[in-house]
Amino acid sequence: MTITQLQYVLAVAEHKNFTLAAEKCFVTQPTLSMQIQKIEEELNILIFDRSKKPIQLTDIGQKIVSQAKNIVNEADRIKDIVEQQKGFIGGEFRLGIIPTIMPTLLPMFLNNFIKKYPKVKLLIEELNTEEIILKLKNGHLDAAIAATPLEDEKIKEIVLYFEPFVAYIPEHHASFQKEEIEVADLNLNEILLLQDGHCFRDGILNLCKSVSDVDQNNFQIQSGSFETLIKLADEGLGTTLLPYLHTLDLKESDKLKLRNFKEPKPAREVSLIYPKSELKMQIIDALRSTIAGVVKGAIVFQNVQIISPLQKKAQ
Amino acid sequence: MTITQLQYVLAVAEHKNFTLAAEKCFVTQPTLSMQIQKIEEELNILIFDRSKKPIQLTDIGQKIVSQAKNIVNEADRIKDIVEQQKGFIGGEFRLGIIPTIMPTLLPMFLNNFIKKYPKVKLLIEELNTEEIILKLKNGHLDAAIAATPLEDEKIKEIVLYFEPFVAYIPEHHASFQKEEIEVADLNLNEILLLQDGHCFRDGILNLCKSVSDVDQNNFQIQSGSFETLIKLADEGLGTTLLPYLHTLDLKESDKLKLRNFKEPKPAREVSLIYPKSELKMQIIDALRSTIAGVVKGAIVFQNVQIISPLQKKAQ
DNA sequence: TCATGTTGATAGTAATTTGTGATGCAAAAA
DNA sequence: TTTTTGCATCACAAATTACTATCAACATGA
């Protein structure tokens, strides 16, 4: 049994297709077929049920694949250990970022990071929380930045900062006169939210539910970007909530419509998250310290009330 | 990098000698040398410092060896998973037992076990607790039976039974008249103990220390077997303590000299212990259930006071 | 129904890797 | 100094892995 064979098994298990799996492994299909057969023969069991289309894992195949993931992960970490020892920080690193964090946080640290660690090739992807969790688990991402806590057994979190929400109230709205507003002033029916799947939206839904349990079957507009929401709010269609960092980029005229919450401010916890396997920890730590450096001073908030992305709205 | 190469690295790390390691791996020395060189070249580091005699691990070599152990263990477990799935319980199994448990417990379950699991080849070794812990960790034992708790991070314990201690009081001794005795009646200075290294002895030392803190620099006889202790006690040299199962084999005349402790009886906890790696769990579980079967009825004690083998006497 | 495409298995061969015995060489031991 | 010990190196053999070409099974759809 070789590590290569296990990698082939994992590739087939993932793609449910020998030909495609072979491509991903940079070998021809017969090579991969033979090696799979060889390990099946050595263990004297069938890992894949080739009679089904697409190909299925057998019961024992499931267990073997899960164990093979362990082994391959642990094996990968050897190179990691060596690089860490050499003090080398480099190589490809795939980072996922949720859409509501990407445009504000990325410009703050990217320049610093690539200057400080020129040998790291960062591959950044905008993904929603569910996609991120999936890709962290199957190894297609090395780490990600998302709202936490996730309370996922297989994922570790390092909190980067707390980002409060700020209300955007159009001029003709009742609450516009208030200097500061309270969570109780919010009404889910008039808040414009991002489209489903964005965890930020889930967070806001929780916020409102905790105050007034309104019925869910109301008229709602769902948009993909905050700019749309701001324009809709200006058109008199309601209010919206913006994460603090987003408010910094607004026009002066729009900033007048922002209202801070009274303390404890509702806020989201933003963390660097990565799989428990802890591969490429040097780069993860480099990211953490770089972001911590730029964030320090930019967003320091205490006495905030964390809105968890966890509890999804009732379906 | 292959699993075989890692096994070669582990063999050299263990034996500090290429030639010997090669033998243990059933290959010639050049083969092993070349494979070690290949992995060192691939990782572009030196794992071994060949200038020292005997061969030493480099700093990074240490880390690589520890990670290699993980990988090889996880790899071994694949075969384990397959066998478990097939319901096959067999193969070699190396079991360590401490000397004070071996002669009483082994005859109770060995026959049952080999009848029930004829395909398991049990290799049983009598070892003291320290040796057992060492060999469990380096993989030379699959499991062991010893007094617990050990509180060792890398070792798991399944309690098999609690075995009380019984005092052996010669006729002319003051306490001989009592029907039952108490821990307070014990005096370390007159108790005959097993030679150092036997955890049973450590247990008794703790027992006495907890009652009367006598000075350690007293006349003491240390023997390797309970029979010697009994004879010495009969010669008027003191008293001794015996684990319950040992007392069952005494002559009737000697049984008259036994005195039970009042409850809670001082007792030792006897457990099946094995490394966290959890290899060969089917066999470990087969052992557990077999021993549980014979022990049930033979030794059922409650309200006992466990004497831990952990705290060693002050040096 | 019959071409057609997809997908995995097989065969034969080439390339690579792993292993062997013989030998070299340096350092420690006698 | 001589001998022994212990790892490295070399040339070659065996085994393994990979490739190209081809086949067989099955599904698709005109």
Side-chain angles (χ1 to χ4, degrees):
Chain A
M1 192 180 70
T2 68
I3 293 172
T4 310
Q5 286 172 346
L6 296 177
Q7 284 168 330
Y8 293 169
V9 169
L10 290 185
V12 175
E14 182 177 353
H15 298 105
K16 313 279 183 214
N17 176 317
F18 278 61
T19 315
L20 184 55
E23 266 177 46
K24 298 282 176 181
C25 294
F26 305 106
V27 292
T28 57
Q29 169 265 315
T31 300
L32 185 132
S33 278
M34 299 267 284
Q35 289 308 313
I36 300 267
Q37 282 174 39
K38 246 187 75 180
I39 192 174
E40 284 182 327
E41 190 182 344
E42 181 182 339
L43 299 176
N44 204 27
I45 43 109
L46 280 180
I47 297 173
F48 298 102
D49 180 352
R50 295 151 170 86
S51 71
K52 299 224 176 85
K53 297 229 164 178
I55 265 183
Q56 288 286 303
L57 281 166
T58 59
D59 283 357
I60 183 142
Q62 296 265 6
K63 293 177 187 169
I64 287 177
V65 163
S66 126
Q67 181 63 11
K69 275 183 194 160
N70 279 343
I71 298 172
V72 172
N73 256 335
E74 296 293 310
D76 282 347
R77 201 181 299 168
I78 282 222
K79 283 166 196 166
D80 214 46
I81 288 169
V82 173
E83 289 186 353
Q84 186 154 24
Q85 179 74 9
K86 287 186 189 162
F88 173 78
I89 305 225
E92 282 196 354
F93 190 87
R94 288 152 304 168
L95 180 70
I97 309 185
I98 59 171
T100 60
I101 292 177
M102 180 82 121
T104 49
L105 183 63
L106 191 59
M108 290 176 73
F109 78 85
L110 187 58
N111 244 312
N112 279 343
F113 186 85
I114 58 180
K115 247 178 243 165
K116 198 163 174 189
Y117 305 101
K119 290 192 178 162
V120 177
K121 187 174 178 187
L122 266 191
L123 305 170
I124 298 166
E125 243 185 302
E126 181 171 308
L127 298 163
N128 65 39
T129 305
E130 289 108 78
E131 293 171 321
I132 279 176
I133 292 175
L134 199 74
K135 291 203 169 193
L136 283 176
K137 285 182 180 171
N138 69 19
H140 289 300
L141 279 181
D142 295 309
I145 298 172
T148 49
L150 300 174
E151 281 174 25
D152 190 300
E153 254 241 320
K154 293 178 179 166
I155 290 178
K156 287 199 168 189
E157 306 174 355
I158 302 177
V159 176
L160 295 171
Y161 57 88
F162 300 104
E163 183 177 24
F165 292 115
V166 181
Y168 182 88
I169 317 276
E171 290 171 359
H172 39 71
H173 191 276
S175 296
F176 182 76
Q177 303 306 329
K178 301 190 181 179
E179 282 229 342
E180 282 191 321
I181 68 166
E182 288 182 72
V183 173
D185 297 334
L186 291 173
N187 179 348
L188 180 60
N189 299 318
E190 62 174 23
I191 297 178
L192 302 162
L193 296 174
L194 291 181
Q195 70 193 30
D196 221 325
H198 291 212
C199 67
F200 181 49
R201 178 172 185 276
D202 294 327
I204 291 175
L205 281 168
N206 287 325
L207 181 66
C208 295
K209 254 199 300 187
S210 67
V211 175
S212 60
D213 238 43
V214 295
D215 56 322
Q216 299 277 328
N217 300 329
N218 262 290
F219 163 66
Q220 279 179 16
I221 295 167
Q222 295 184 357
S223 164
S225 86
F226 290 115
E227 277 138 54
T228 316
L229 295 184
I230 289 170
K231 281 180 188 146
L232 290 172
D234 283 336
E235 292 297 319
L237 288 165
T239 62
T240 189
L241 291 183
L242 304 174
Y244 170 74
L245 287 177
H246 276 268
T247 66
L248 301 180
D249 302 328
L250 293 182
K251 295 181 291 195
E252 285 308 311
S253 59
D254 283 344
K255 280 190 181 170
L256 298 173
K257 300 169 198 162
L258 296 174
R259 294 294 177 274
N260 284 314
F261 283 92
K262 288 183 186 154
E263 297 201 336
K265 298 173 192 293
R268 60 175 173 179
E269 180 183 86
V270 174
S271 298
L272 187 58
I273 63 179
Y274 51 93
K276 274 257 168 72
S277 60
E278 299 199 13
L279 284 162
K280 308 202 187 181
M281 271 311 284
Q282 330 85 276
I283 298 181
I284 290 172
D285 201 62
L287 268 172
R288 184 202 53 72
S289 70
T290 306
I291 297 175
V294 299
V295 153
K296 201 174 291 177
I299 23 180
V300 193
F301 289 98
Q302 272 143 4
N303 194 17
V304 293
Q305 175 195 347
I306 305 305
I307 294 174
S308 164
L310 264 186
Q311 310 104 298
K312 298 287 162 68
K313 66 170 177 185
Q315 298 279 355
Chain B
M1 192 179 73
T2 68
I3 294 171
T4 310
Q5 285 172 347
L6 295 177
Q7 284 168 329
Y8 293 169
V9 168
L10 291 185
V12 175
E14 182 176 354
H15 299 104
K16 314 280 183 213
N17 177 316
F18 277 60
T19 315
L20 184 55
E23 266 178 47
K24 298 282 176 181
C25 294
F26 305 104
V27 292
T28 56
Q29 170 263 317
T31 300
L32 185 134
S33 278
M34 304 238 316
Q35 290 306 316
I36 298 267
Q37 283 173 39
K38 248 186 73 182
I39 191 173
E40 285 182 326
E41 191 182 345
E42 182 183 340
L43 300 176
N44 204 27
I45 44 108
L46 281 180
I47 297 173
F48 298 103
D49 179 352
R50 294 150 169 87
S51 71
K52 300 226 175 82
K53 298 235 166 176
I55 266 184
Q56 286 287 303
L57 282 165
T58 59
D59 284 357
I60 183 141
Q62 297 265 5
K63 294 178 187 169
I64 287 177
V65 164
S66 127
Q67 182 62 11
K69 275 183 195 161
N70 279 343
I71 298 172
V72 171
N73 256 336
E74 296 294 312
D76 282 347
R77 200 181 301 165
I78 282 224
K79 283 165 197 164
D80 214 47
I81 288 169
V82 172
E83 289 187 353
Q84 185 153 22
Q85 179 74 10
K86 288 184 189 161
F88 173 78
I89 304 221
E92 282 197 352
F93 190 88
R94 289 151 303 169
L95 180 70
I97 308 184
I98 59 171
T100 60
I101 292 177
M102 181 82 122
T104 48
L105 182 63
L106 191 59
M108 291 176 72
F109 77 86
L110 187 57
N111 245 312
N112 279 343
F113 185 85
I114 59 180
K115 245 178 244 163
K116 198 162 174 188
Y117 305 100
K119 291 193 177 161
V120 177
K121 187 174 180 190
L122 266 191
L123 305 170
I124 298 166
E125 243 184 301
E126 180 171 307
L127 298 162
N128 65 38
T129 305
E130 288 109 77
E131 291 170 323
I132 280 176
I133 292 175
L134 199 73
K135 290 203 169 192
L136 284 176
K137 286 181 182 172
N138 69 18
H140 289 300
L141 279 181
D142 295 309
I145 298 172
T148 49
L150 300 173
E151 282 175 25
D152 190 301
E153 254 243 320
K154 292 178 180 168
I155 290 178
K156 286 199 169 189
E157 305 174 355
I158 302 176
V159 176
L160 295 170
Y161 57 90
F162 301 102
E163 183 177 24
F165 293 114
V166 181
Y168 182 87
I169 317 277
E171 290 171 0
H172 38 73
H173 191 277
S175 297
F176 183 76
Q177 305 304 329
K178 302 190 183 181
E179 283 228 344
E180 281 190 322
I181 68 167
E182 287 183 73
V183 174
D185 296 336
L186 292 172
N187 180 347
L188 181 59
N189 299 318
E190 62 174 23
I191 298 179
L192 302 161
L193 296 175
L194 290 180
Q195 70 192 29
D196 220 327
H198 290 211
C199 66
F200 181 51
R201 178 172 186 275
D202 295 327
I204 291 175
L205 280 168
N206 287 325
L207 181 67
C208 295
K209 254 199 301 185
S210 68
V211 175
S212 60
D213 238 44
V214 295
D215 56 321
Q216 299 280 327
N217 300 329
N218 262 290
F219 164 66
Q220 279 181 15
I221 295 167
Q222 295 184 357
S223 165
S225 88
F226 290 115
E227 278 138 54
T228 315
L229 294 183
I230 289 170
K231 282 180 186 143
L232 289 172
D234 284 337
E235 292 297 319
L237 287 164
T239 61
T240 190
L241 291 183
L242 304 174
Y244 170 74
L245 287 177
H246 276 269
T247 66
L248 302 179
D249 302 329
L250 293 181
K251 297 181 291 196
E252 285 308 312
S253 59
D254 283 343
K255 279 189 182 170
L256 298 173
K257 300 168 197 161
L258 295 174
R259 292 295 177 273
N260 284 314
F261 284 92
K262 289 186 185 148
E263 298 203 335
K265 298 175 191 292
R268 61 174 174 179
E269 179 183 89
V270 174
S271 298
L272 187 58
I273 63 178
Y274 52 93
K276 274 257 167 74
S277 61
E278 300 199 13
L279 284 162
K280 307 201 187 182
M281 270 312 282
Q282 330 84 277
I283 299 181
I284 290 172
D285 201 61
L287 267 172
R288 184 201 53 72
S289 70
T290 306
I291 297 175
V294 298
V295 153
K296 203 174 293 179
I299 20 179
V300 192
F301 288 98
Q302 273 142 1
N303 195 15
V304 293
Q305 175 195 347
I306 305 306
I307 294 175
S308 165
L310 264 186
Q311 309 104 300
K312 300 287 163 66
K313 67 169 179 187
Q315 298 280 355

